[in-house]
Amino acid sequence: MSDDYISLAGAKAKGKRPQYFELAESERLMSILMAVAGELAVTRERMDTIERLLAKKGLLDTGEIEAFEPDASASEERALLHQEYIARILRIVQQEKEAIAEERSGNASTALESVIQELAEI
């Protein structure tokens, strides 16, 4: 498993991202909220599956879930899961940051080429 969660979460499909709102901030917020909603839905479904399977086998009393306290190893694994989760949720912000950096890089190249051209004409 890679530790570069931000880069992995920044992977994007080719082509222009569809925009549904007039303001970029609204678009960004909606993307983040939908990522959170998707993550929560998947998590709830998996938890429900596990709880039902364990209860069906007589291996779980639902009160045990509320009383559970993770050990150090489990806490560390959970911390990694949280990092991955946050990276996925904020991937739109990372992608926009990369786009701005690319744009600035392109503008810098254009400005530099312009200066070189002017100097060549002197």
Side-chain angles (χ1 to χ4, degrees), residues 7-15 17 91 94-100 102:
S7 294
L8 292 174
K12 57 185 174 185
K14 293 182 179 177
R17 175 184 294 277
R91 106 185 141 93
Q94 178 64 25
Q95 289 174 349
E96 288 185 10
K97 178 183 168 190
E98 290 170 2
I100 289 169
E102 286 176 17

Side-chain angles (χ1 to χ4, degrees), residues 31-96:
S31 293
I32 291 170
L33 288 173
M34 294 311 296
V36 172
E39 292 285 340
L40 181 58
V42 169
T43 301
R44 291 181 70 109
E45 186 175 304
R46 291 183 63 92
M47 283 181 50
D48 180 66
T49 299
I50 291 168
E51 288 178 14
R52 287 176 189 269
L53 288 171
L54 292 174
K56 186 177 179 179
K57 293 180 179 184
L59 298 172
L60 176 69
D61 173 2
T62 54
E64 292 178 72
I65 294 173
E66 299 300 325
F68 179 77
E69 291 188 27
D71 61 18
S73 176
S75 292
E76 188 174 316
E77 289 176 16
R78 285 182 175 187
L80 288 173
L81 290 173
H82 288 194
Q83 288 178 346
E84 293 171 355
Y85 177 68
I86 295 299
R88 285 193 303 274
I89 290 171
L90 296 177
R91 106 185 141 93
I92 184 70
V93 175
Q94 178 64 25
Q95 289 174 349
E96 288 185 10

